[in-house]
Amino acid sequence: MTSRRNFLKTMPAALLALAPASQWVQALEQRKDDDTLTIAYPKDIAGWDPLNMDPLQSVIIQCVFEQPLALAADLSLAPSPVQHCEWLDNHCQTLQLIFRDNVFFHDGSELTAEDFRFSFIDRAKEHPATLLAGVWSLIDHIDTPSTSEAVIYFKYPMATAKAMLADIPAFILPSDYYQKQGGSDAFARRPVGSGPYRLTEYQRGSRIVLEAFDHYWQGKAPVKRLIFLISSDSVARAAMVQARQADIAVDLSVRESLKLGSETGLQSLIHPSTAMVMLQMVNKGVFTDKNVRLALHHAINKDAIAKGLFVGHATPVSVPAGPGMPGYIKDFEFPFDPDHSRELLAESGYDETNPLTIRFYATKGVLPNDLEMAQAIQYMWRQVGIQTELQVLTQPMIASYQQQGKIDGPLLQGWNPAAGDPGTYSGYLLHPALSFALWKSDDVGEKLYPLMAETNDKVRIEKFREFDRWQVKQGYSIPLFQRHSTCVAWTELEIQSRLTGLINPYRIRIS
Amino acid sequence: MLLPPNGSADELQRLRAALGLDQPLLQQFLIWLKNLLHGNAGLSIRSGEEVSTLILSALPVTLQLVTLAILIGAGAGFISGVLAFRYRFTPVRNSLEVTNAMALSVPEFLWGILLMLVFGIGLRVSPFFGEVDPRLMVEQQTGFLLIDTLLSGNPAAFLNVLSHYLLPSLALALAIAPTLMRILYSSLNQIYASEYMRSARLRGLPERRLLLVHALRNAVLPALNLMSVQAGMLIGGTLLIEKIYGLQGIGSLMIDAINNQDLPVIQAVALVYAICVLMINQATEWLQHVLDPRAGV
């Protein structure tokens, strides 16, 4: 039994223990602010001077910086710092941009045509080994006749320039501020853009805290504070949204998204995106035989893969475009026909006694279920008598293999130009002059080059549809799926679904 | 990796020369070693930042995590060992043994996930991502957030940081506490059978004094030895635990570097791991010498 003496002795100690405990509870019970949005995000940015990035990273970058052109949810052009854009010639080499007034950077300076010129010419020259320099290497020079007008002169026709000005990496940085800071590294420590948010805290690989910019030209963002919690682990991201440590979790697996979406208070948003999955073909060895290429395509049951691996949340496609995208062809379908596949192989002299053996390249963990997809395709090919040696490569290895010309079989690739312009799919992946292309042939060049000089977008896109129909029938590429983007959020959030597959935090509303 | 996919062969050549990759292998190694001795571990292939800067910003996170894990693990191991021995003829010992076996049979990363599921998602009593609530601004002075929050006189932030470290430290601690308990228990058993303990008991010393003063001091030495080995393993365990709990320590840095094939970072982090293990071993030897001056250093 506790004596009075013992009680008096232990009381102060108990009180001392309780004092921090109450603070502990207080610390844990920090209520969610209505004006703060926390996003569990899979990827950190490469740096605050946006020279290199992928589409996922561009979501964060777009909060702080702006592109000359912007995309609406349906891929049409949305209001952007450039209010007018047109070709001044008839072969896509001279592009005029008129900038709107009253677009301000976070340091208070006004965005001008000179900032655009500096961002696309000077920075690219200073950093030649970057995506910025690579994508815009066709720019010869940029004239700025006034503070609100820029004219881009391209070395060669670049009909995709408008699409690329709304894609990555095409961000406008303040020229004076950048140079006053003393270069890229110093700028990256104190970045300034004209986007809806300004950076307040950055911890590499961990978190990014952004505050709404009061003088944003489209109006102050409704969400005052935006926090990105970075975790490459999808289990951790799912756990964060489940435990309410994040309001939104991005890029979970379809199954996980559906499971979480069925829980009370959570919504699962799964929408088709502009991200495509395809097999890039190579014109080497047996693949120079059209029958072989078409046999490979006819043997793949895309519906079965979509259902089996993505619970139906991947759209099988016959050209590198899905429904809603400009390059989509509604009445064209490349059929799954294993019998015809066997016939084509037999025509080329391959049968059970002389099976076709090929190498097949894929990644693991770069795309959702990429290795599983490759294994399913490997199985389907085996069913028609094609033996495959599957090689799993990392992304740096793919780049290195491509540079060395070591890829000698189909490559399972993801491709995601946000703007969805067909010129940025097969227009790049089959362009004989670009290192992206694995299949390089003269007949492709003959058909492709005129398209890259077509100034009328409607005509160009119609011609690209014809081109894609032709190149798929030739077996130059095997389009597989239109990927679906995934996002799980609490139901009080209104999140606009966008065909780019990327969220736009500026458009998120808390109801 | 450093060039965009459309980089030209000339650019590739220039980059190889700039990185010294066109030199013979031995020369490349000597250059690396010389730079390292001057505190220059090179540049990260992925981010272009100095590797030493990356390590210096990540190291405090791992050190805080490991320190807390050692404190919790050693505390739990010693307390449960002493309790199990003190109540060795009661059900207390059996229940501690069962708990011990359970803790040992599950690897630390799985403990990490289980703790997150139970206390983070299920009961929602503990945060489980990052070092601190992102809404709290903590002025960085030393890089050690636990110290920085105290220096800035912000107890709420200190507790917030501590609460973020609790589950990952506990997951790591569960890997060391059970073995410590077992070693301590068997050491105490041996020591209780020794002559000097019998003499002490015959002199009428109370049981509590016998255990805590006379037996424990000697029994702790083998346990301490084991701890130095365990602490080395603990540092390896941070790799997955940091990743699961979103802590940007050298474990996360290593995993990211492996994923990105960022060799300069991989080399430097491996070196840091080796140095940490050696330092822990050295510290344990010193502590042993303090507790038992007969043991040479």
Side-chain angles (χ1 to χ4, degrees):
Chain A
M1 200 177 148
T2 307
S3 67
R4 196 174 58 146
R5 181 184 294 256
N6 274 344
F7 178 77
L8 289 172
K9 266 163 72 180
T10 51
M11 192 61 184
L15 285 174
L16 270 174
L18 277 176
S22 67
Q23 280 195 324
W24 176 284
V25 172
Q26 213 179 350
L28 290 178
E29 282 188 349
Q30 286 206 343
R31 296 263 171 246
K32 185 185 129 48
D33 306 324
D34 285 342
D35 51 5
T36 299
L37 187 73
T38 308
I39 303 174
Y41 209 70
K43 206 161 191 185
D44 193 5
I45 54 162
W48 282 110
D49 183 355
L51 296 160
N52 291 302
M53 76 190 69
D54 63 21
L56 273 174
Q57 292 167 321
S58 74
V59 168
I60 300 171
I61 293 291
Q62 276 169 351
C63 292
V64 177
F65 302 97
E66 280 187 295
Q67 290 150 305
L69 297 175
L71 295 170
D74 61 354
L75 300 182
S76 61
L77 286 179
S80 63
V82 167
Q83 61 179 2
H84 179 74
C85 172
E86 75 168 305
W87 292 107
L88 295 181
D89 61 0
N90 55 8
H91 47 277
C92 299
Q93 280 188 261
T94 312
L95 184 66
Q96 183 197 43
L97 305 177
I98 304 291
F99 290 85
R100 69 176 71 238
D101 295 332
N102 301 320
V103 177
F104 293 98
F105 288 110
H106 305 154
D107 66 342
S109 61
E110 194 169 356
L111 186 149
T112 65
E114 178 51 32
D115 295 312
F116 171 76
R117 199 199 62 76
F118 169 79
S119 303
F120 283 69
I121 294 278
D122 296 2
R123 278 169 66 236
K125 272 186 192 157
E126 211 176 300
H127 303 95
T130 57
L131 194 59
L132 173 78
V135 168
W136 298 108
S137 60
L138 286 188
I139 296 181
D140 185 66
H141 66 283
I142 297 174
D143 281 349
T144 51
S146 72
T147 54
S148 61
E149 183 185 355
V151 182
I152 313 173
Y153 295 90
F154 293 97
K155 293 173 199 162
Y156 301 102
M158 190 178 176
T160 53
K162 285 186 196 173
M164 293 310 291
L165 284 172
D167 208 319
I168 58 166
F171 292 92
I172 308 172
L173 276 60
S175 164
D176 287 345
Y177 176 85
Y178 189 100
Q179 289 171 90
K180 266 184 209 157
Q181 295 299 309
S184 178
D185 291 344
F187 175 82
R189 280 193 286 276
R190 285 176 293 276
V192 157
S194 61
Y197 289 91
R198 56 188 183 78
L199 179 72
T200 55
E201 194 194 346
Y202 174 56
Q203 284 197 1
R204 177 172 287 283
S206 176
R207 62 180 170 155
I208 298 165
V209 184
L210 307 170
E211 291 276 344
F213 174 41
D214 291 337
H215 306 294
Y216 182 53
W217 64 276
Q218 292 197 71
K220 191 177 174 181
V223 174
K224 200 174 156 193
R225 186 158 42 174
L226 193 60
I227 299 167
F228 287 93
L229 295 177
I230 312 295
S231 174
S232 57
D233 184 4
S234 63
V235 177
R237 291 199 302 279
M240 274 192 268
V241 76
Q242 222 178 342
R244 197 85 218 225
Q245 290 190 22
D247 302 298
I248 303 173
V250 174
D251 208 29
L252 303 175
S253 71
V254 170
R255 283 177 206 279
E256 187 74 41
S257 301
L258 291 171
K259 191 176 87 90
L260 286 177
S262 65
E263 289 189 16
T264 318
L266 284 171
Q267 55 178 324
S268 160
L269 303 153
I270 306 176
H271 300 289
S273 74
T274 52
M276 307 301 298
V277 181
M278 59 183 80
L279 290 177
Q280 266 188 281
M281 300 300 283
V282 58
N283 53 346
K284 280 182 182 172
V286 293
F287 303 103
T288 52
D289 182 345
K290 185 178 171 184
N291 283 344
V292 168
R293 300 193 301 269
L294 295 179
L296 288 171
H297 198 166
H298 279 299
I300 300 172
N301 185 347
K302 298 171 194 172
D303 284 318
I305 297 176
K307 280 180 193 144
L309 293 178
F310 301 101
V311 205
H313 287 287
T315 310
V317 290
S318 295
V319 290
M325 291 170 66
Y328 180 61
I329 310 172
K330 203 176 174 184
D331 59 355
F332 175 63
E333 193 181 341
F334 196 95
F336 163 59
D337 189 347
D339 292 334
H340 187 47
S341 178
R342 285 186 198 96
E343 285 165 18
L344 288 166
L345 289 171
E347 271 178 42
S348 292
Y350 298 107
D351 54 26
E352 282 175 11
T353 54
N354 177 32
L356 172 65
T357 305
I358 60 168
R359 276 208 193 88
F360 175 27
Y361 298 89
T363 48
K364 186 184 174 187
V366 175
L367 303 168
N369 293 323
D370 45 4
L371 186 59
E372 290 81 359
M373 255 190 284
Q375 285 166 336
I377 292 169
Q378 193 181 22
Y379 173 78
M380 288 166 184
W381 283 344
R382 202 180 304 139
Q383 298 304 302
V384 296
I386 302 169
Q387 302 298 321
T388 50
E389 184 192 319
L390 180 62
Q391 292 203 358
V392 179
L393 303 180
T394 61
Q395 274 187 309
M397 280 166 82
I398 290 176
S400 165
Y401 273 42
Q402 270 185 285
Q403 269 166 348
Q404 295 168 40
K406 277 170 74 176
I407 292 183
D408 55 2
L411 168 68
L412 182 75
Q413 276 268 58
W415 194 250
N416 186 16
D421 187 298
T424 56
Y425 290 82
S426 46
Y428 284 175
L429 287 171
L430 288 172
H431 198 298
L434 295 178
S435 61
F436 302 123
L438 286 179
W439 182 277
K440 295 181 190 212
S441 58
D442 293 339
D443 57 346
V444 169
E446 275 169 28
K447 286 181 183 287
L448 198 57
Y449 293 142
L451 300 185
M452 296 309 253
E454 175 58 62
T455 52
N456 184 323
D457 282 340
K458 273 190 181 166
V459 173
R460 183 174 61 86
I461 284 167
E462 192 49 53
K463 285 182 176 174
F464 254 111
R465 288 189 188 131
E466 283 169 31
F467 172 78
D468 274 330
R469 193 194 292 255
W470 168 78
Q471 63 94 353
V472 169
K473 281 183 175 175
Q474 296 301 310
Y476 292 165
S477 77
I478 302 180
L480 294 173
F481 302 105
Q482 178 186 25
R483 276 172 56 197
H484 291 195
S485 66
T486 59
C487 165
V488 174
W490 286 86
T491 43
E492 65 261 32
L493 297 175
E494 287 172 32
I495 301 172
Q496 189 186 42
S497 69
R498 294 161 58 81
L499 200 47
T500 58
L502 306 168
I503 57 166
N504 181 357
Y506 179 68
R507 301 274 172 216
I508 294 175
R509 302 283 182 271
I510 303 172
S511 55
Chain B
M1 282 182 272
L2 285 174
L3 285 173
N6 55 349
S8 68
D10 277 355
E11 283 168 347
L12 181 69
Q13 210 47 47
R14 274 201 298 274
L15 192 67
R16 284 180 63 82
L19 294 172
L21 296 174
D22 53 350
Q23 306 283 331
L25 203 59
L26 181 66
Q27 206 164 339
Q28 286 183 41
F29 175 71
L30 290 175
I31 293 169
W32 175 78
L33 196 64
K34 184 185 153 199
N35 288 339
L36 191 71
L37 292 172
H38 286 85
N40 175 8
L43 297 176
S44 158
I45 289 177
R46 187 68 177 174
S47 67
E49 281 186 80
E50 284 192 11
V51 174
S52 48
T53 311
L54 290 175
I55 286 181
L56 284 177
S57 66
L59 199 56
V61 176
T62 304
L63 290 180
Q64 288 173 113
L65 178 64
V66 169
T67 308
L68 283 173
I70 291 176
L71 287 176
I72 297 173
F78 278 104
I79 291 170
S80 56
V82 171
L83 277 178
F85 186 79
R86 176 74 179 82
Y87 300 103
R88 56 193 176 282
F89 304 117
T90 68
V92 172
R93 177 184 167 264
N94 291 339
S95 55
L96 281 168
E97 279 289 342
V98 171
T99 317
N100 203 3
M102 274 171 60
L104 259 183
S105 57
V106 178
E108 62 243 47
F109 73 90
L110 203 53
W111 271 124
I113 294 171
L114 287 172
L115 291 172
M116 186 196 276
L117 282 173
V118 176
F119 296 104
I121 299 172
L123 300 173
R124 294 194 191 179
V125 292
S126 179
F128 55 83
F129 191 82
E131 265 194 291
V132 64
D133 190 301
R135 283 161 291 188
L136 285 173
M137 298 290 277
V138 181
E139 195 192 338
Q140 296 246 356
Q141 296 176 52
T142 63
F144 292 84
L145 226 48
L146 283 167
I147 298 173
D148 289 345
T149 49
L150 288 177
L151 289 177
S152 57
N154 190 346
F158 172 78
L159 287 168
N160 191 283
V161 177
L162 202 59
S163 68
H164 277 78
Y165 272 104
L166 183 68
L167 295 185
S169 320
L170 194 58
L172 284 174
L174 283 170
I176 55 171
T179 20
L180 266 183
M181 177 200 150
R182 284 195 172 170
I183 293 288
L184 194 66
Y185 184 88
S186 58
S187 285
L188 284 169
N189 245 340
Q190 281 177 9
I191 284 164
Y192 260 63
S194 63
E195 282 294 323
Y196 82 93
M197 286 299 289
R198 267 190 234 125
S199 316
R201 188 172 281 124
L202 286 172
R203 285 207 305 276
L205 289 178
E207 195 60 31
R208 186 184 290 182
R209 191 174 162 80
L210 269 178
L211 176 64
L212 296 179
V213 178
H214 295 272
L216 196 59
R217 193 177 168 124
N218 287 320
V220 95
L221 291 172
L224 212 57
N225 246 334
L226 178 84
M227 253 186 73
S228 72
V229 180
Q230 295 278 64
M233 286 164 63
L234 201 69
I235 289 177
T238 60
L239 275 172
L240 287 174
I241 289 292
E242 282 180 5
K243 206 68 199 162
I244 292 167
Y245 284 92
L247 294 168
Q248 290 307 304
I250 53 171
S252 285
L253 193 64
M254 182 66 143
I255 287 193
D256 290 341
I258 291 169
N259 285 338
N260 297 321
Q261 298 187 337
D262 198 341
L263 286 176
V265 178
I266 295 173
Q267 283 171 333
V269 174
L271 200 67
V272 169
Y273 273 133
I275 292 169
C276 284
V277 172
L278 287 175
M279 282 173 71
I280 288 172
N281 284 347
Q282 208 58 44
T284 322
E285 277 190 31
W286 173 81
L287 199 60
Q288 268 183 305
H289 180 69
V290 170
L291 289 171
D292 182 8
R294 290 169 301 175
V297 176

